Amino acid sequence: MGGFGSARVMGGALLVIGSAAGGAYAYHRYKDADWERRDDEYQRQLQGKLTESEKQMQELNTQLSLARAQLVTQGTLEEKYQAQLTARDADFEKFRLEHALALKSISNAVFELRQQELGGTQTAREEPPAPTRPGEPTIPPDQRAISYEFTDKEGRVHLEDPNIWVQGDEKLQLAQFFRVEGTVLQQTDGSLMTERVQLIEVAPEGTGKYRPLTQARLVDADFTYANAPREGAPPALVKWGPSFMATIGSSFRTASLLRFGGSARVVQVGPVGLAGGLSSDFQSLEGSGGDAFLTYTPSFRGRQLGLVLGGGIHLPLGGTQRVRPNVTLNFVIY
């Protein structure tokens, strides 16, 4: 019986290890296949082979304030950026290089803003003539200077004209506030992006609040960007949902050194997670039961491995000790 029991344990161990190895291979193969698909899609879009829907997303649409968009490589984007730099950009370039800021996109837009003012305050008055010296002719009443001032109701425009009969002495002052709203959108399943940009004139109302007055009409806009797919999506800070694993566990001061089974990680925060499962040494109820443990997923060159380390408790189905310490080695299956 002892030999038969050992054979069962060995067979179970080989089965679990084989399943874990196959599952880990399938797990990484699936990720590699997804990367290859995304790269193929990126190459197609980079070459300008777009579907009709994608073409509409990249075209200029002044009604929706969408810019004309173009996907390029990072090198092409850098070249275009360097070509448009002028002397006034020197301080900004110094700041960008000092802080190692990467260039992601370039945009420029032309707007047309037409306004019509209704209401306001205007004054016109006849200016008293300057004192004349003896012998100088007196200025007739119909030639005396008339000054004029106008201020719109929002206080944006102030026009002064010291003498309406003289051209070239007018003074126009503008005090306007504008809000620029930019929104960058990306395909859920692709590399194409587009930008919506709006220019809105606003009036300050105090305490950091502004009231919209009028919106400029987008005439032309360009949005050039680089957006190559990354080898893996950036991991979310908190990830919910089961991640199934094959488990090899061990507890201190037990008859069997190893137990084999399966588990599922239900939540993951960065490399740390919480998992639960079942395992058995295939010999007794004392060596079989449930597992609850914390997990740690090591990474290599920024990529998480399919190997997970764990530590927690084992809850036997039988025996006198109802809770045992538990150390696990887990292989991600999916």
Side-chain angles (χ1 to χ4, degrees):
M1 288 295 293
F4 179 70
S6 299
R8 283 199 306 169
V9 172
M10 182 63 68
L14 292 175
L15 177 63
V16 171
I17 293 174
S19 300
Y25 172 79
Y27 173 75
H28 288 290
R29 180 58 185 166
Y30 169 80
K31 293 182 67 177
D32 291 341
D34 180 64
W35 154 251
E36 292 171 359
R37 179 193 62 78
R38 287 186 288 115
D39 186 62
D40 290 343
E41 190 79 356
Y42 166 71
Q43 295 297 335
R44 175 185 68 81
Q45 294 175 337
L46 185 63
Q47 295 169 13
K49 300 176 181 179
L50 307 180
T51 65
E52 287 302 317
S53 176
E54 291 172 339
K55 288 178 181 178
Q56 293 177 9
M57 196 180 83
Q58 300 290 272
E59 290 175 350
L60 177 70
N61 189 326
T62 57
Q63 297 298 317
L64 298 178
S65 300
L66 292 174
R68 182 187 301 105
Q70 181 184 12
L71 173 66
V72 298
T73 63
Q74 186 66 37
T76 301
L77 183 66
E78 292 282 353
E79 291 176 2
K80 184 173 182 178
Y81 175 72
Q82 293 296 329
Q84 72 177 26
L85 288 178
T86 63
R88 68 175 182 270
D89 300 313
D91 290 340
F92 174 76
E93 269 300 279
K94 181 180 178 182
F95 175 84
R96 186 175 77 94
L97 295 176
E98 285 178 350
H99 294 273
L101 301 178
L103 180 66
K104 304 303 292 184
S105 63
I106 300 173
S107 62
N108 61 77
V110 178
F111 290 90
E112 178 187 42
L113 180 62
R114 294 190 178 188
Q115 304 178 75
Q116 182 180 15
E117 274 304 327
L118 300 176
T121 303
Q122 60 180 345
T123 59
R125 63 179 180 272
E126 182 179 325
E127 296 295 331
T132 59
R133 296 179 181 178
E136 290 183 350
T138 303
I139 300 176
D142 59 346
Q143 295 182 11
R144 291 178 181 174
I146 299 177
S147 64
Y148 176 81
E149 290 187 22
F150 170 78
T151 302
D152 74 304
K153 61 183 180 180
E154 301 292 346
R156 301 172 301 170
V157 180
H158 183 69
L159 174 64
E160 297 180 19
D161 190 349
N163 190 347
I164 64 174
W165 310 115
V166 178
Q167 289 189 347
D169 63 346
E170 300 86 357
K171 183 178 180 182
L172 177 64
Q173 294 180 327
L174 298 176
Q176 295 175 276
F177 296 85
F178 293 94
R179 176 187 291 133
V180 179
E181 296 181 353
T183 305
V184 177
L185 307 171
Q186 180 182 342
Q187 280 181 304
T188 303
D189 191 21
S191 294
L192 293 185
M193 303 173 71
T194 188
E195 181 186 39
R196 187 185 189 211
V197 56
Q198 298 169 284
L199 181 67
I200 303 170
E201 186 182 8
V202 297
E205 292 189 325
T207 65
K209 295 183 179 180
Y210 297 87
R211 174 168 48 88
L213 297 177
T214 184
Q215 180 171 337
R217 184 179 69 89
L218 181 66
V219 175
D220 195 9
D222 291 295
F223 177 63
T224 309
Y225 59 96
N227 188 32
R230 288 177 285 188
E231 187 169 348
L237 178 62
V238 179
K239 180 181 178 183
W240 295 92
S243 177
F244 299 104
M245 302 177 291
T247 300
I248 299 177
S250 180
S251 296
F252 305 113
R253 298 190 300 273
T254 56
S256 297
L257 179 63
L258 299 177
R259 296 187 313 277
F260 305 94
S263 60
R265 182 173 50 199
V266 294
V267 62
Q268 185 176 2
V269 182
V272 180
L274 178 63
L278 298 172
S279 62
S280 175
D281 62 1
F282 303 103
Q283 296 187 43
S284 65
L285 292 178
E286 190 175 7
S288 304
D291 301 305
F293 51 93
L294 293 174
T295 65
Y296 174 77
T297 306
S299 299
F300 179 70
R301 293 182 178 179
R303 185 172 183 178
Q304 289 190 344
L305 303 178
L307 178 69
V308 181
L309 307 177
I313 58 174
H314 174 69
L315 306 174
L317 295 177
T320 57
Q321 187 175 351
R322 305 305 300 171
V323 179
R324 297 180 182 274
N326 187 30
V327 177
T328 65
L329 181 65
N330 309 278
F331 301 89
V332 176
I333 298 176
Y334 185 74

